[in-house]
Amino acid sequence: MNWGERYQPFSGFNAVYVGKRSQLVTNMKSLRKIWFYLFSILIFGIILGSSSDSHAQTDVVLPETTQAILDNIWVLIAAILVIFMNAGFAMVESGFCREKNATNILAKNLIVFALATLAFWAVGYSLMFGLGNLFIGVGGFFLTGESATYGLDGMTLAIPTHFLFQAAFAGTAATIVSGAVAERVRFISFILFSIVLSGLIYPVVGHWAWGGGWLVQLGFIDFAGSTVVHSVGGWAALVGAIALGPRLGKYQGGAPRALPGHNMSTAMLGGFILWIGWFGFNPGSVLAATIQVPYVALTTNLSAAAAALVATLLSWFRFGRPDLSMSINGVLAGLVAITAGCANVAPWAAVVIGAIAGMIVVYSVALIDQMGIDDPVGALSVHLVCGVWGTLAVGVFDFDQAGLVQFITQFIGVIAVGLFTVIASIVGWYCLGLLVGLRVSNNQELAGLDMSEHGIEAYAGFLKVADAE
């Protein structure tokens, strides 16, 4: 084939172009006329607008409208940050667990937010913020009719904005459970319990404390959810971990045995993602774009930093080496602990709260292990124990309310939420055990949940290290 034959198709293109050229020229003339008219209208509008009273222009956008727009944009951004925390949880949990279960953990952390969103949309949001009584909200299911009437009183948030932010919190409460029951829970059981937790258990507690319920009437303070989110997830995880029992090989002769995680790189990156996401979690809970937002961010960061340092130093002292896993959990412990009082404590108090949380998490992880409760990632220590500490700390360090009365109020809230969540979780896990079963078989657990539950490996083609159960 010669060069002319090779490029023969271009001659067809040229023929089409020549045939259409006259029509194209005509169309271009028409387009120039259209652009001329549009440009003339634009110039006329500019001249007309510049001749009007400038004061009248500023009155068009009222300060309230501008503030409402800013509030909704900020809370939407905060909701996105909280949603992104699911990636952080997935990376921390999978990194702290063994490689044969990585896909399973990633799948749980992905699906849990989808489930929480739909369950919270269907019933949870209405139970939490709908019209009702001191114990439960009613009405407005599927975001229809009267919903969020109390939650939006005195605020400028649109219901879609408020819902997305609260749905992100519901997803957080559910994903806390994932880490504590990792490496032995059936995928279907976890899915079903996540629906119950995010659609029923969490919203009821949320109504008590944030939806006009009896706890807020009592004076209970939990600004961003040390109890409402983290302790609820922690109590539910505790029941699940006890119901499932420890992983195979975790205890030998009654003594706990370390089952090291497979990837500290992802665990550390996940910890940083959670740290960043918390700047949506706590400052976003202001629910408005005000000067309080950066202050809440400040106390949040101070507590996380203090907890990370204390946990690192204490683990170094106890074990003779700085333990990275303890440093990561130290950061998370400080973040959880400050969540209740982040808007109402001084910066120095935030440091104290975080430092104590850093100590608590190190001793709590060891104590829970000794009690025979298998928590692969330390979720109970971080979210439950430090959530309780952070809630009680409000009664000690709050700007205006600190004192014995407030401490007792905080204590009542902790106990009430704990009892309700534990009882509801026992019922939930027990029913699921009867219906579908809670735990995979021994053979499935030994093979790994990636293959037995999902039929896919997280690291296909990579050299594997066999477990020694």
Side-chain angles (χ1 to χ4, degrees), residues 100 248 441-448 467 469:
K100 65 182 182 180
L248 297 176
S441 68
N442 289 353
N443 289 337
Q444 288 177 309
E445 185 176 344
L446 291 172
D467 294 311
E469 280 98 352

Side-chain angles (χ1 to χ4, degrees), residues 279-347:
F279 291 112
F281 203 99
N282 287 0
S285 295
V286 176
L287 299 180
T290 70
I291 198 63
Q292 191 179 29
V293 169
Y295 184 82
V296 172
L298 170 66
T299 57
T300 298
N301 198 53
L302 288 173
S303 180
L309 180 61
V310 170
T312 301
L313 294 176
L314 186 57
S315 65
W316 199 344
F317 173 77
R318 289 194 66 200
F319 309 124
R321 63 188 185 280
D323 189 330
L324 177 58
S325 65
M326 283 298 180
S327 300
I328 296 169
N329 274 338
V331 171
L332 303 182
L335 292 167
V336 169
I338 196 60
T339 295
C342 53
N344 308 308
V345 300

Side-chain angles (χ1 to χ4, degrees), residues 43-113:
I43 295 298
F44 178 78
I46 293 173
I47 295 173
L48 182 63
S50 63
S51 64
S52 61
D53 186 1
S54 61
H55 294 287
Q57 292 296 316
T58 58
D59 290 340
V60 172
V61 181
L62 300 176
E64 292 81 6
T65 304
T66 302
Q67 185 62 50
I69 293 172
L70 292 174
D71 292 346
N72 280 271
I73 290 175
W74 159 239
V75 175
L76 179 60
I77 293 172
I80 294 170
L81 286 171
V82 178
I83 293 170
F84 189 55
M85 289 172 66
N86 285 277
F89 280 117
M91 297 183 75
V92 169
E93 292 173 19
S94 62
F96 278 173
C97 293
R98 291 165 291 181
E99 63 181 350
K100 65 182 182 180
N101 300 307
T103 295
N104 176 259
I105 293 169
L106 296 174
K108 288 191 298 180
N109 279 275
L110 174 64
I111 200 66
V112 72
F113 180 65

Side-chain angles (χ1 to χ4, degrees), residues 11-216:
S11 64
F13 172 81
N14 291 332
V16 172
Y17 173 75
V18 171
K20 298 292 184 178
R21 183 168 55 188
S22 59
Q23 183 180 349
L24 181 61
V25 171
T26 302
N27 291 339
M28 289 299 294
K29 290 180 179 179
S30 300
L31 286 174
R32 280 197 293 268
K33 290 180 180 180
I34 294 173
W35 279 111
F36 173 79
Y37 292 137
L38 291 175
F39 183 77
S40 300
I41 294 171
L42 178 62
I43 295 298
F44 178 78
I46 293 173
I47 295 173
L48 182 63
S50 63
S51 64
S52 61
D53 186 1
S54 61
H55 294 287
Q57 292 296 316
T58 58
D59 290 340
V60 172
V61 181
L62 300 176
E64 292 81 6
T65 304
T66 302
Q67 185 62 50
I69 293 172
L70 292 174
D71 292 346
N72 280 271
I73 290 175
W74 159 239
V75 175
L76 179 60
I77 293 172
I80 294 170
L81 286 171
V82 178
I83 293 170
F84 189 55
M85 289 172 66
N86 285 277
F89 280 117
M91 297 183 75
V92 169
E93 292 173 19
S94 62
F96 278 173
C97 293
R98 291 165 291 181
E99 63 181 350
K100 65 182 182 180
N101 300 307
T103 295
N104 176 259
I105 293 169
L106 296 174
K108 288 191 298 180
N109 279 275
L110 174 64
I111 200 66
V112 72
F113 180 65
L115 295 170
T117 297
L118 295 176
F120 201 65
W121 166 68
V123 295
Y125 188 64
S126 297
L127 296 179
M128 192 164 175
F129 294 106
L131 294 172
N133 52 47
L134 295 178
F135 297 96
I136 194 169
V138 180
F141 299 109
F142 298 96
L143 294 185
T144 59
E146 295 291 333
S147 62
T149 53
Y150 178 85
L152 296 180
D153 281 351
M155 294 191 300
T156 59
L157 294 184
I159 287 180
T161 307
H162 191 248
F163 168 78
L164 285 171
F165 187 72
Q166 299 298 337
F169 274 48
T172 300
T175 200
I176 290 169
V177 179
S178 171
V181 300
E183 300 198 297
R184 74 269 201 204
V185 70
R186 293 192 67 194
F187 191 69
I188 184 62
S189 300
F190 174 77
I191 285 178
L192 294 175
F193 185 80
S194 297
I195 296 173
V196 172
L197 179 62
S198 56
L200 298 174
I201 299 174
Y202 166 76
V204 171
V205 173
H207 183 77
W208 293 357
W210 292 343
W214 69 274
L215 276 181
V216 71

